[in-house]
Amino acid sequence: MSQITNLPAIFGSDVFNETTMKERLAPEVYIAWKNCIQTGTPLELSVANSIAEAMKKWATEKGATHYTHWFQPMTGITAEKHDSFLTPIGEGKVMMEFSGKELVRGEPDASSFPSGGLRATFEARGYTAWDPTSFAFVKDDSLFIPTCFFSYTGEALDKKTPLLRSIDEVSREAIRILRLFGDTTAKRIITCVGPEQEYFLIPRDLYAQREDLRLTGRTLFGAPSPKGQELDDHYFGTIRTRVSAYMKDLDEQLWRLGVLSKTKHNEAAPAQHELAPIYTDANSACDSNQLVMEIMKKCAAKHNLVCLLHEKPFEGVNGSGKHNNYSLATDTGKNLFSPGKTPRQNAQFLVFLAAFIKGVDEYQEWLRCTTASAGNDHRLGAAEAPPAIISIFLGDELNAVVESIISGSNYTDPEKGVMRIGVDVLPAIPKDTTDRNRTSPLAFTGNKFEFRMLGSSQSVSGPNIALNTIMAEELAQFADELEAAEDFDSALQELVCRTFTEHKRIIFDGNGYSEDWTQEAARRGLSNLPSTADCMPEYVSQKNIDLVTKHHIFTENEFRARFEIHIEAYNKVLNIEALTSIDMIRHQILPAALKYTEHLARSIQTKDAIGVSCHAERSLIQRLSASSDALYDLCEKLDADLRSIPSSNTDAAKYYHNVIVPDMDNARREADLLESLTDKSYWPYPTYSDLLFY
């Protein structure tokens, strides 16, 4: 690992970014690329050829021998197929060549990626298309070209394509609102995203001894460690030397790839950590987060560690999430979720705030679905993550503003009278005007909303597609109404007041963990979808289908395909976990407990022969035998229940949740009891104390 002496010099040094393009491209080629980015104008082949040649020369200077179209299939991770730059020129000689056609379009085999029924297995043809808005980079001796991925018939088979569609759509509708407020300078709205990433680090040799970690990413068994996180001594604590070396290496690799890694610290659970980036445009942020997750794992291996991105790798301590900071900004640098300094600016802010509140209320089920997974089911609603009930936290100051608009009452200053939108100036609302609410799924944090429900292993594309789409819908409705109004200010006042009034049920500033809130949310009519099995039928509701097809984010087939992939992944994960549980019980846990029981039995025989008391051994044998018998029966029940999985994916999801998950939980309780009773020298895998306090 090299010593960093000049961070600005190395940042983005392995990225074919705008600075590099300006240096290496002819002026007319660079201008053509800029026009493509700003207006969507297609690149001519001659321009693409020029860019490809410059890109190849730059990449080979950095040691690249191959190129790959890097894409994000609906597995939630990235995919790549590498081709060398070699081209034969005769007489046994070769040259390094890379054309505009190869840059712009690729054809990987698409048959083995999940498609949700969009195509049959024998239909192998799939295409990748260069995304010129996301910069290419060099990594692992290859030039990586970010691309979209689609089928022979044009359906999107990836997570990038619908994200780009949603970015364009929210930009179009937001511009309509800005024009009504007299802003003629902004040409485009940029969706800004900053996904904080939580993760665990454990020693690689201990990881290798745990079948459950290797196959499922989480510990299916494990008695609690005598010490957990109850002392709060790990949170923001001194970073261990070994972990600090890993973090330094990770940062340097990410910085070279232009990833805005900013903050690192210990999280609440032992062996848990967090990386937070500076937030940037959504497309780059989503690409970067995929790189972060990949490099976290590769970098850990270099340091004899393993990075766990599962949402709940260890029972009894906090799991890992991903806080998605979301806002909208103009291409001239104005944050649309930031309260302004003039009446007009504040009126504009309130319109965007009202659109967000209305959208979240109307499409709360879809937002919840975008964060649903088998892993995230373990943490949502626990005292470590937001509850499964969607709500918005505004903070005392902003909540008081909203209430005053709804009620038509005075806001703080009795001399001021009723607040008139577009006339009166809001008081300054600094970022830290109120305490944070860590139990809120969507919290306003001064100039952005923090969507806290995401799981640590998931792509952030899905939630941001949903946020962009619901904002586009509400802003379109607002623009339609305001554009038709005879008196803009009166219509604006009525619109904002009506929106806040009709959708205030989604605003909640209290304790999301309390049972009182669960009951209050039910009274308000908010949805409560605690598990993935509960969520998924809501995913393909007609309301959601109408929304995404209206705004051309998905076709109905594309949207239903994502539902099928989502629910199938849930079922497959739980099936793998159940089979792994059975395997560990039969081949590791029961043999270890029975072997220790045999050892105790021999000890009793020996002591009995010399007339020595063996009360401890007899008591332990009774408890071990009873627990072993119970675990055996529970394992047999789990095995039998796995043979009765319904054929329908939706029915299977409910069955897994209602039958298989309780079976695994019951088996775990007995297995963990056996661990607490068995001599450690007999136990077949590292304990929680070993893993978390290495």
Side-chain angles (χ1 to χ4, degrees), residues 668-690:
R668 175 173 190 150
R669 277 191 290 274
E670 288 297 337
D672 291 353
L673 176 58
L674 281 174
E675 180 183 333
S676 69
L677 296 173
T678 302
D679 186 322
K680 185 174 180 179
S681 63
Y682 287 82
W683 203 245
Y685 48 74
T687 66
Y688 271 23
S689 295
D690 299 324

mmCIF file with all atom_site columns, all heavy atoms in Angstrom, residues 668-690:
data_model
loop_
_atom_site.group_PDB
_atom_site.id
_atom_site.type_symbol
_atom_site.label_atom_id
_atom_site.label_alt_id
_atom_site.label_comp_id
_atom_site.label_asym_id
_atom_site.label_entity_id
_atom_site.label_seq_id
_atom_site.pdbx_PDB_ins_code
_atom_site.Cartn_x
_atom_site.Cartn_y
_atom_site.Cartn_z
_atom_site.occupancy
_atom_site.B_iso_or_equiv
_atom_site.pdbx_formal_charge
_atom_site.auth_seq_id
_atom_site.auth_comp_id
_atom_site.auth_asym_id
_atom_site.auth_atom_id
_atom_site.pdbx_PDB_model_num
ATOM 1   N N   . ARG A 1 668 ? -32.775 -22.836 16.108 1.00 0.00 ? 668 ARG A N   1
ATOM 2   C CA  . ARG A 1 668 ? -31.648 -22.027 16.577 1.00 0.00 ? 668 ARG A CA  1
ATOM 3   C C   . ARG A 1 668 ? -31.619 -21.927 18.095 1.00 0.00 ? 668 ARG A C   1
ATOM 4   O O   . ARG A 1 668 ? -30.553 -22.004 18.709 1.00 0.00 ? 668 ARG A O   1
ATOM 5   C CB  . ARG A 1 668 ? -31.700 -20.634 15.955 1.00 0.00 ? 668 ARG A CB  1
ATOM 6   C CG  . ARG A 1 668 ? -30.610 -19.729 16.504 1.00 0.00 ? 668 ARG A CG  1
ATOM 7   C CD  . ARG A 1 668 ? -30.490 -18.398 15.840 1.00 0.00 ? 668 ARG A CD  1
ATOM 8   N NE  . ARG A 1 668 ? -29.268 -17.750 16.319 1.00 0.00 ? 668 ARG A NE  1
ATOM 9   C CZ  . ARG A 1 668 ? -28.536 -16.898 15.634 1.00 0.00 ? 668 ARG A CZ  1
ATOM 10  N NH1 . ARG A 1 668 ? -28.880 -16.564 14.414 1.00 0.00 ? 668 ARG A NH1 1
ATOM 11  N NH2 . ARG A 1 668 ? -27.434 -16.376 16.148 1.00 0.00 ? 668 ARG A NH2 1
ATOM 12  N N   . ARG A 1 669 ? -32.790 -21.745 18.694 1.00 0.00 ? 669 ARG A N   1
ATOM 13  C CA  . ARG A 1 669 ? -32.822 -21.626 20.158 1.00 0.00 ? 669 ARG A CA  1
ATOM 14  C C   . ARG A 1 669 ? -32.223 -22.859 20.826 1.00 0.00 ? 669 ARG A C   1
ATOM 15  O O   . ARG A 1 669 ? -31.453 -22.742 21.786 1.00 0.00 ? 669 ARG A O   1
ATOM 16  C CB  . ARG A 1 669 ? -34.258 -21.379 20.634 1.00 0.00 ? 669 ARG A CB  1
ATOM 17  C CG  . ARG A 1 669 ? -34.692 -19.925 20.551 1.00 0.00 ? 669 ARG A CG  1
ATOM 18  C CD  . ARG A 1 669 ? -36.000 -19.681 21.279 1.00 0.00 ? 669 ARG A CD  1
ATOM 19  N NE  . ARG A 1 669 ? -37.131 -20.296 20.585 1.00 0.00 ? 669 ARG A NE  1
ATOM 20  C CZ  . ARG A 1 669 ? -37.808 -19.706 19.606 1.00 0.00 ? 669 ARG A CZ  1
ATOM 21  N NH1 . ARG A 1 669 ? -37.454 -18.494 19.204 1.00 0.00 ? 669 ARG A NH1 1
ATOM 22  N NH2 . ARG A 1 669 ? -38.829 -20.312 19.031 1.00 0.00 ? 669 ARG A NH2 1
ATOM 23  N N   . GLU A 1 670 ? -32.568 -24.043 20.334 1.00 0.00 ? 670 GLU A N   1
ATOM 24  C CA  . GLU A 1 670 ? -32.017 -25.262 20.930 1.00 0.00 ? 670 GLU A CA  1
ATOM 25  C C   . GLU A 1 670 ? -30.535 -25.407 20.630 1.00 0.00 ? 670 GLU A C   1
ATOM 26  O O   . GLU A 1 670 ? -29.744 -25.813 21.486 1.00 0.00 ? 670 GLU A O   1
ATOM 27  C CB  . GLU A 1 670 ? -32.779 -26.484 20.415 1.00 0.00 ? 670 GLU A CB  1
ATOM 28  C CG  . GLU A 1 670 ? -34.179 -26.628 20.962 1.00 0.00 ? 670 GLU A CG  1
ATOM 29  C CD  . GLU A 1 670 ? -34.225 -26.823 22.481 1.00 0.00 ? 670 GLU A CD  1
ATOM 30  O OE1 . GLU A 1 670 ? -33.220 -27.273 23.079 1.00 0.00 ? 670 GLU A OE1 1
ATOM 31  O OE2 . GLU A 1 670 ? -35.273 -26.511 23.070 1.00 0.00 ? 670 GLU A OE2 1
ATOM 32  N N   . ALA A 1 671 ? -30.141 -25.074 19.410 1.00 0.00 ? 671 ALA A N   1
ATOM 33  C CA  . ALA A 1 671 ? -28.726 -25.176 19.043 1.00 0.00 ? 671 ALA A CA  1
ATOM 34  C C   . ALA A 1 671 ? -27.875 -24.225 19.879 1.00 0.00 ? 671 ALA A C   1
ATOM 35  O O   . ALA A 1 671 ? -26.777 -24.590 20.336 1.00 0.00 ? 671 ALA A O   1
ATOM 36  C CB  . ALA A 1 671 ? -28.548 -24.882 17.557 1.00 0.00 ? 671 ALA A CB  1
ATOM 37  N N   . ASP A 1 672 ? -28.377 -23.020 20.093 1.00 0.00 ? 672 ASP A N   1
ATOM 38  C CA  . ASP A 1 672 ? -27.626 -22.050 20.892 1.00 0.00 ? 672 ASP A CA  1
ATOM 39  C C   . ASP A 1 672 ? -27.555 -22.466 22.351 1.00 0.00 ? 672 ASP A C   1
ATOM 40  O O   . ASP A 1 672 ? -26.562 -22.198 23.043 1.00 0.00 ? 672 ASP A O   1
ATOM 41  C CB  . ASP A 1 672 ? -28.252 -20.663 20.752 1.00 0.00 ? 672 ASP A CB  1
ATOM 42  C CG  . ASP A 1 672 ? -28.074 -20.072 19.356 1.00 0.00 ? 672 ASP A CG  1
ATOM 43  O OD1 . ASP A 1 672 ? -27.355 -20.690 18.542 1.00 0.00 ? 672 ASP A OD1 1
ATOM 44  O OD2 . ASP A 1 672 ? -28.658 -19.004 19.084 1.00 0.00 ? 672 ASP A OD2 1
ATOM 45  N N   . LEU A 1 673 ? -28.610 -23.128 22.815 1.00 0.00 ? 673 LEU A N   1
ATOM 46  C CA  . LEU A 1 673 ? -28.575 -23.666 24.183 1.00 0.00 ? 673 LEU A CA  1
ATOM 47  C C   . LEU A 1 673 ? -27.509 -24.752 24.285 1.00 0.00 ? 673 LEU A C   1
ATOM 48  O O   . LEU A 1 673 ? -26.735 -24.788 25.253 1.00 0.00 ? 673 LEU A O   1
ATOM 49  C CB  . LEU A 1 673 ? -29.941 -24.227 24.563 1.00 0.00 ? 673 LEU A CB  1
ATOM 50  C CG  . LEU A 1 673 ? -30.031 -24.916 25.930 1.00 0.00 ? 673 LEU A CG  1
ATOM 51  C CD1 . LEU A 1 673 ? -29.631 -23.966 27.061 1.00 0.00 ? 673 LEU A CD1 1
ATOM 52  C CD2 . LEU A 1 673 ? -31.437 -25.471 26.157 1.00 0.00 ? 673 LEU A CD2 1
ATOM 53  N N   . LEU A 1 674 ? -27.447 -25.625 23.284 1.00 0.00 ? 674 LEU A N   1
ATOM 54  C CA  . LEU A 1 674 ? -26.411 -26.659 23.282 1.00 0.00 ? 674 LEU A CA  1
ATOM 55  C C   . LEU A 1 674 ? -25.016 -26.039 23.279 1.00 0.00 ? 674 LEU A C   1
ATOM 56  O O   . LEU A 1 674 ? -24.099 -26.533 23.945 1.00 0.00 ? 674 LEU A O   1
ATOM 57  C CB  . LEU A 1 674 ? -26.577 -27.566 22.060 1.00 0.00 ? 674 LEU A CB  1
ATOM 58  C CG  . LEU A 1 674 ? -27.660 -28.641 22.143 1.00 0.00 ? 674 LEU A CG  1
ATOM 59  C CD1 . LEU A 1 674 ? -27.805 -29.346 20.805 1.00 0.00 ? 674 LEU A CD1 1
ATOM 60  C CD2 . LEU A 1 674 ? -27.334 -29.649 23.245 1.00 0.00 ? 674 LEU A CD2 1
ATOM 61  N N   . GLU A 1 675 ? -24.828 -24.963 22.526 1.00 0.00 ? 675 GLU A N   1
ATOM 62  C CA  . GLU A 1 675 ? -23.524 -24.292 22.506 1.00 0.00 ? 675 GLU A CA  1
ATOM 63  C C   . GLU A 1 675 ? -23.142 -23.809 23.899 1.00 0.00 ? 675 GLU A C   1
ATOM 64  O O   . GLU A 1 675 ? -21.981 -23.919 24.316 1.00 0.00 ? 675 GLU A O   1
ATOM 65  C CB  . GLU A 1 675 ? -23.550 -23.114 21.532 1.00 0.00 ? 675 GLU A CB  1
ATOM 66  C CG  . GLU A 1 675 ? -22.217 -22.365 21.461 1.00 0.00 ? 675 GLU A CG  1
ATOM 67  C CD  . GLU A 1 675 ? -22.254 -21.150 20.552 1.00 0.00 ? 675 GLU A CD  1
ATOM 68  O OE1 . GLU A 1 675 ? -23.059 -21.129 19.614 1.00 0.00 ? 675 GLU A OE1 1
ATOM 69  O OE2 . GLU A 1 675 ? -21.456 -20.212 20.794 1.00 0.00 ? 675 GLU A OE2 1
ATOM 70  N N   . SER A 1 676 ? -24.132 -23.280 24.636 1.00 0.00 ? 676 SER A N   1
ATOM 71  C CA  . SER A 1 676 ? -23.848 -22.760 25.980 1.00 0.00 ? 676 SER A CA  1
ATOM 72  C C   . SER A 1 676 ? -23.543 -23.871 26.980 1.00 0.00 ? 676 SER A C   1
ATOM 73  O O   . SER A 1 676 ? -22.944 -23.615 28.029 1.00 0.00 ? 676 SER A O   1
ATOM 74  C CB  . SER A 1 676 ? -25.025 -21.919 26.478 1.00 0.00 ? 676 SER A CB  1
ATOM 75  O OG  . SER A 1 676 ? -26.152 -22.740 26.733 1.00 0.00 ? 676 SER A OG  1
ATOM 76  N N   . LEU A 1 677 ? -23.930 -25.117 26.652 1.00 0.00 ? 677 LEU A N   1
ATOM 77  C CA  . LEU A 1 677 ? -23.720 -26.244 27.569 1.00 0.00 ? 677 LEU A CA  1
ATOM 78  C C   . LEU A 1 677 ? -22.490 -27.074 27.213 1.00 0.00 ? 677 LEU A C   1
ATOM 79  O O   . LEU A 1 677 ? -21.980 -27.818 28.056 1.00 0.00 ? 677 LEU A O   1
ATOM 80  C CB  . LEU A 1 677 ? -24.952 -27.165 27.546 1.00 0.00 ? 677 LEU A CB  1
ATOM 81  C CG  . LEU A 1 677 ? -26.271 -26.570 28.039 1.00 0.00 ? 677 LEU A CG  1
ATOM 82  C CD1 . LEU A 1 677 ? -27.411 -27.545 27.780 1.00 0.00 ? 677 LEU A CD1 1
ATOM 83  C CD2 . LEU A 1 677 ? -26.187 -26.223 29.522 1.00 0.00 ? 677 LEU A CD2 1
ATOM 84  N N   . THR A 1 678 ? -22.008 -26.953 25.987 1.00 0.00 ? 678 THR A N   1
ATOM 85  C CA  . THR A 1 678 ? -20.961 -27.839 25.482 1.00 0.00 ? 678 THR A CA  1
ATOM 86  C C   . THR A 1 678 ? -19.578 -27.230 25.696 1.00 0.00 ? 678 THR A C   1
ATOM 87  O O   . THR A 1 678 ? -19.376 -26.032 25.493 1.00 0.00 ? 678 THR A O   1
ATOM 88  C CB  . THR A 1 678 ? -21.176 -28.113 23.980 1.00 0.00 ? 678 THR A CB  1
ATOM 89  O OG1 . THR A 1 678 ? -22.469 -28.685 23.784 1.00 0.00 ? 678 THR A OG1 1
ATOM 90  C CG2 . THR A 1 678 ? -20.130 -29.069 23.432 1.00 0.00 ? 678 THR A CG2 1
ATOM 91  N N   . ASP A 1 679 ? -18.633 -28.083 26.100 1.00 0.00 ? 679 ASP A N   1
ATOM 92  C CA  . ASP A 1 679 ? -17.242 -27.666 26.235 1.00 0.00 ? 679 ASP A CA  1
ATOM 93  C C   . ASP A 1 679 ? -16.782 -27.063 24.911 1.00 0.00 ? 679 ASP A C   1
ATOM 94  O O   . ASP A 1 679 ? -16.979 -27.641 23.843 1.00 0.00 ? 679 ASP A O   1
ATOM 95  C CB  . ASP A 1 679 ? -16.394 -28.900 26.579 1.00 0.00 ? 679 ASP A CB  1
ATOM 96  C CG  . ASP A 1 679 ? -14.945 -28.550 26.877 1.00 0.00 ? 679 ASP A CG  1
ATOM 97  O OD1 . ASP A 1 679 ? -14.385 -27.659 26.205 1.00 0.00 ? 679 ASP A OD1 1
ATOM 98  O OD2 . ASP A 1 679 ? -14.354 -29.169 27.782 1.00 0.00 ? 679 ASP A OD2 1
ATOM 99  N N   . LYS A 1 680 ? -16.143 -25.895 24.979 1.00 0.00 ? 680 LYS A N   1
ATOM 100 C CA  . LYS A 1 680 ? -15.767 -25.179 23.764 1.00 0.00 ? 680 LYS A CA  1
ATOM 101 C C   . LYS A 1 680 ? -14.839 -25.999 22.876 1.00 0.00 ? 680 LYS A C   1
ATOM 102 O O   . LYS A 1 680 ? -14.862 -25.867 21.645 1.00 0.00 ? 680 LYS A O   1
ATOM 103 C CB  . LYS A 1 680 ? -15.115 -23.847 24.126 1.00 0.00 ? 680 LYS A CB  1
ATOM 104 C CG  . LYS A 1 680 ? -14.813 -22.982 22.908 1.00 0.00 ? 680 LYS A CG  1
ATOM 105 C CD  . LYS A 1 680 ? -14.296 -21.606 23.278 1.00 0.00 ? 680 LYS A CD  1
ATOM 106 C CE  . LYS A 1 680 ? -14.022 -20.782 22.020 1.00 0.00 ? 680 LYS A CE  1
ATOM 107 N NZ  . LYS A 1 680 ? -13.544 -19.421 22.318 1.00 0.00 ? 680 LYS A NZ  1
ATOM 108 N N   . SER A 1 681 ? -14.022 -26.857 23.491 1.00 0.00 ? 681 SER A N   1
ATOM 109 C CA  . SER A 1 681 ? -13.091 -27.650 22.688 1.00 0.00 ? 681 SER A CA  1
ATOM 110 C C   . SER A 1 681 ? -13.819 -28.635 21.778 1.00 0.00 ? 681 SER A C   1
ATOM 111 O O   . SER A 1 681 ? -13.244 -29.140 20.812 1.00 0.00 ? 681 SER A O   1
ATOM 112 C CB  . SER A 1 681 ? -12.116 -28.410 23.592 1.00 0.00 ? 681 SER A CB  1
ATOM 113 O OG  . SER A 1 681 ? -12.814 -29.348 24.416 1.00 0.00 ? 681 SER A OG  1
ATOM 114 N N   . TYR A 1 682 ? -15.091 -28.908 22.081 1.00 0.00 ? 682 TYR A N   1
ATOM 115 C CA  . TYR A 1 682 ? -15.887 -29.807 21.252 1.00 0.00 ? 682 TYR A CA  1
ATOM 116 C C   . TYR A 1 682 ? -16.702 -29.051 20.196 1.00 0.00 ? 682 TYR A C   1
ATOM 117 O O   . TYR A 1 682 ? -17.202 -29.666 19.264 1.00 0.00 ? 682 TYR A O   1
ATOM 118 C CB  . TYR A 1 682 ? -16.864 -30.616 22.116 1.00 0.00 ? 682 TYR A CB  1
ATOM 119 C CG  . TYR A 1 682 ? -16.202 -31.704 22.932 1.00 0.00 ? 682 TYR A CG  1
ATOM 120 C CD1 . TYR A 1 682 ? -15.588 -31.412 24.142 1.00 0.00 ? 682 TYR A CD1 1
ATOM 121 C CD2 . TYR A 1 682 ? -16.179 -33.020 22.483 1.00 0.00 ? 682 TYR A CD2 1
ATOM 122 C CE1 . TYR A 1 682 ? -14.977 -32.408 24.888 1.00 0.00 ? 682 TYR A CE1 1
ATOM 123 C CE2 . TYR A 1 682 ? -15.568 -34.026 23.227 1.00 0.00 ? 682 TYR A CE2 1
ATOM 124 C CZ  . TYR A 1 682 ? -14.961 -33.707 24.429 1.00 0.00 ? 682 TYR A CZ  1
ATOM 125 O OH  . TYR A 1 682 ? -14.359 -34.699 25.169 1.00 0.00 ? 682 TYR A OH  1
ATOM 126 N N   . TRP A 1 683 ? -16.835 -27.731 20.392 1.00 0.00 ? 683 TRP A N   1
ATOM 127 C CA  . TRP A 1 683 ? -17.755 -26.996 19.515 1.00 0.00 ? 683 TRP A CA  1
ATOM 128 C C   . TRP A 1 683 ? -17.142 -26.831 18.137 1.00 0.00 ? 683 TRP A C   1
ATOM 129 O O   . TRP A 1 683 ? -15.960 -26.483 18.007 1.00 0.00 ? 683 TRP A O   1
ATOM 130 C CB  . TRP A 1 683 ? -18.124 -25.644 20.122 1.00 0.00 ? 683 TRP A CB  1
ATOM 131 C CG  . TRP A 1 683 ? -19.437 -25.134 19.579 1.00 0.00 ? 683 TRP A CG  1
ATOM 132 C CD1 . TRP A 1 683 ? -19.642 -24.027 18.829 1.00 0.00 ? 683 TRP A CD1 1
ATOM 133 C CD2 . TRP A 1 683 ? -20.711 -25.762 19.730 1.00 0.00 ? 683 TRP A CD2 1
ATOM 134 N NE1 . TRP A 1 683 ? -20.972 -23.909 18.501 1.00 0.00 ? 683 TRP A NE1 1
ATOM 135 C CE2 . TRP A 1 683 ? -21.658 -24.969 19.045 1.00 0.00 ? 683 TRP A CE2 1
ATOM 136 C CE3 . TRP A 1 683 ? -21.149 -26.923 20.375 1.00 0.00 ? 683 TRP A CE3 1
ATOM 137 C CZ2 . TRP A 1 683 ? -23.007 -25.291 18.970 1.00 0.00 ? 683 TRP A CZ2 1
ATOM 138 C CZ3 . TRP A 1 683 ? -22.494 -27.252 20.309 1.00 0.00 ? 683 TRP A CZ3 1
ATOM 139 C CH2 . TRP A 1 683 ? -23.411 -26.435 19.616 1.00 0.00 ? 683 TRP A CH2 1
ATOM 140 N N   . PRO A 1 684 ? -17.898 -27.032 17.060 1.00 0.00 ? 684 PRO A N   1
ATOM 141 C CA  . PRO A 1 684 ? -17.311 -27.168 15.724 1.00 0.00 ? 684 PRO A CA  1
ATOM 142 C C   . PRO A 1 684 ? -16.981 -25.871 14.998 1.00 0.00 ? 684 PRO A C   1
ATOM 143 O O   . PRO A 1 684 ? -16.407 -25.904 13.907 1.00 0.00 ? 684 PRO A O   1
ATOM 144 C CB  . PRO A 1 684 ? -18.393 -27.947 14.954 1.00 0.00 ? 684 PRO A CB  1
ATOM 145 C CG  . PRO A 1 684 ? -19.676 -27.546 15.616 1.00 0.00 ? 684 PRO A CG  1
ATOM 146 C CD  . PRO A 1 684 ? -19.334 -27.363 17.071 1.00 0.00 ? 684 PRO A CD  1
ATOM 147 N N   . TYR A 1 685 ? -17.377 -24.734 15.514 1.00 0.00 ? 685 TYR A N   1
ATOM 148 C CA  . TYR A 1 685 ? -17.115 -23.488 14.799 1.00 0.00 ? 685 TYR A CA  1
ATOM 149 C C   . TYR A 1 685 ? -16.903 -22.346 15.795 1.00 0.00 ? 685 TYR A C   1
ATOM 150 O O   . TYR A 1 685 ? -17.293 -22.435 16.961 1.00 0.00 ? 685 TYR A O   1
ATOM 151 C CB  . TYR A 1 685 ? -18.241 -23.148 13.828 1.00 0.00 ? 685 TYR A CB  1
ATOM 152 C CG  . TYR A 1 685 ? -19.640 -23.249 14.387 1.00 0.00 ? 685 TYR A CG  1
ATOM 153 C CD1 . TYR A 1 685 ? -20.147 -22.295 15.267 1.00 0.00 ? 685 TYR A CD1 1
ATOM 154 C CD2 . TYR A 1 685 ? -20.483 -24.306 14.020 1.00 0.00 ? 685 TYR A CD2 1
ATOM 155 C CE1 . TYR A 1 685 ? -21.432 -22.382 15.771 1.00 0.00 ? 685 TYR A CE1 1
ATOM 156 C CE2 . TYR A 1 685 ? -21.772 -24.404 14.518 1.00 0.00 ? 685 TYR A CE2 1
ATOM 157 C CZ  . TYR A 1 685 ? -22.246 -23.445 15.389 1.00 0.00 ? 685 TYR A CZ  1
ATOM 158 O OH  . TYR A 1 685 ? -23.517 -23.531 15.898 1.00 0.00 ? 685 TYR A OH  1
ATOM 159 N N   . PRO A 1 686 ? -16.266 -21.250 15.344 1.00 0.00 ? 686 PRO A N   1
ATOM 160 C CA  . PRO A 1 686 ? -15.983 -20.118 16.237 1.00 0.00 ? 686 PRO A CA  1
ATOM 161 C C   . PRO A 1 686 ? -17.264 -19.514 16.815 1.00 0.00 ? 686 PRO A C   1
ATOM 162 O O   . PRO A 1 686 ? -18.295 -19.440 16.148 1.00 0.00 ? 686 PRO A O   1
ATOM 163 C CB  . PRO A 1 686 ? -15.268 -19.114 15.331 1.00 0.00 ? 686 PRO A CB  1
ATOM 164 C CG  . PRO A 1 686 ? -14.722 -19.930 14.211 1.00 0.00 ? 686 PRO A CG  1
ATOM 165 C CD  . PRO A 1 686 ? -15.691 -21.038 13.997 1.00 0.00 ? 686 PRO A CD  1
ATOM 166 N N   . THR A 1 687 ? -17.172 -19.070 18.057 1.00 0.00 ? 687 THR A N   1
ATOM 167 C CA  . THR A 1 687 ? -18.316 -18.487 18.755 1.00 0.00 ? 687 THR A CA  1
ATOM 168 C C   . THR A 1 687 ? -18.418 -16.990 18.475 1.00 0.00 ? 687 THR A C   1
ATOM 169 O O   . THR A 1 687 ? -17.540 -16.393 17.858 1.00 0.00 ? 687 THR A O   1
ATOM 170 C CB  . THR A 1 687 ? -18.171 -18.710 20.266 1.00 0.00 ? 687 THR A CB  1
ATOM 171 O OG1 . THR A 1 687 ? -17.028 -17.952 20.726 1.00 0.00 ? 687 THR A OG1 1
ATOM 172 C CG2 . THR A 1 687 ? -17.974 -20.177 20.596 1.00 0.00 ? 687 THR A CG2 1
ATOM 173 N N   . TYR A 1 688 ? -19.494 -16.391 18.980 1.00 0.00 ? 688 TYR A N   1
ATOM 174 C CA  . TYR A 1 688 ? -19.655 -14.946 18.832 1.00 0.00 ? 688 TYR A CA  1
ATOM 175 C C   . TYR A 1 688 ? -18.512 -14.190 19.503 1.00 0.00 ? 688 TYR A C   1
ATOM 176 O O   . TYR A 1 688 ? -18.065 -13.152 19.000 1.00 0.00 ? 688 TYR A O   1
ATOM 177 C CB  . TYR A 1 688 ? -20.995 -14.511 19.432 1.00 0.00 ? 688 TYR A CB  1
ATOM 178 C CG  . TYR A 1 688 ? -22.146 -14.558 18.450 1.00 0.00 ? 688 TYR A CG  1
ATOM 179 C CD1 . TYR A 1 688 ? -22.102 -15.372 17.322 1.00 0.00 ? 688 TYR A CD1 1
ATOM 180 C CD2 . TYR A 1 688 ? -23.279 -13.777 18.639 1.00 0.00 ? 688 TYR A CD2 1
ATOM 181 C CE1 . TYR A 1 688 ? -23.147 -15.420 16.429 1.00 0.00 ? 688 TYR A CE1 1
ATOM 182 C CE2 . TYR A 1 688 ? -24.341 -13.802 17.747 1.00 0.00 ? 688 TYR A CE2 1
ATOM 183 C CZ  . TYR A 1 688 ? -24.273 -14.624 16.630 1.00 0.00 ? 688 TYR A CZ  1
ATOM 184 O OH  . TYR A 1 688 ? -25.303 -14.655 15.744 1.00 0.00 ? 688 TYR A OH  1
ATOM 185 N N   . SER A 1 689 ? -18.040 -14.672 20.638 1.00 0.00 ? 689 SER A N   1
ATOM 186 C CA  . SER A 1 689 ? -16.916 -14.001 21.309 1.00 0.00 ? 689 SER A CA  1
ATOM 187 C C   . SER A 1 689 ? -15.685 -13.998 20.411 1.00 0.00 ? 689 SER A C   1
ATOM 188 O O   . SER A 1 689 ? -14.960 -12.996 20.329 1.00 0.00 ? 689 SER A O   1
ATOM 189 C CB  . SER A 1 689 ? -16.597 -14.705 22.628 1.00 0.00 ? 689 SER A CB  1
ATOM 190 O OG  . SER A 1 689 ? -17.660 -14.584 23.536 1.00 0.00 ? 689 SER A OG  1
ATOM 191 N N   . ASP A 1 690 ? -15.454 -15.130 19.721 1.00 0.00 ? 690 ASP A N   1
ATOM 192 C CA  . ASP A 1 690 ? -14.308 -15.214 18.812 1.00 0.00 ? 690 ASP A CA  1
ATOM 193 C C   . ASP A 1 690 ? -14.456 -14.247 17.641 1.00 0.00 ? 690 ASP A C   1
ATOM 194 O O   . ASP A 1 690 ? -13.510 -13.544 17.272 1.00 0.00 ? 690 ASP A O   1
ATOM 195 C CB  . ASP A 1 690 ? -14.185 -16.641 18.245 1.00 0.00 ? 690 ASP A CB  1
ATOM 196 C CG  . ASP A 1 690 ? -13.973 -17.688 19.312 1.00 0.00 ? 690 ASP A CG  1
ATOM 197 O OD1 . ASP A 1 690 ? -13.283 -17.386 20.300 1.00 0.00 ? 690 ASP A OD1 1
ATOM 198 O OD2 . ASP A 1 690 ? -14.494 -18.813 19.153 1.00 0.00 ? 690 ASP A OD2 1
#
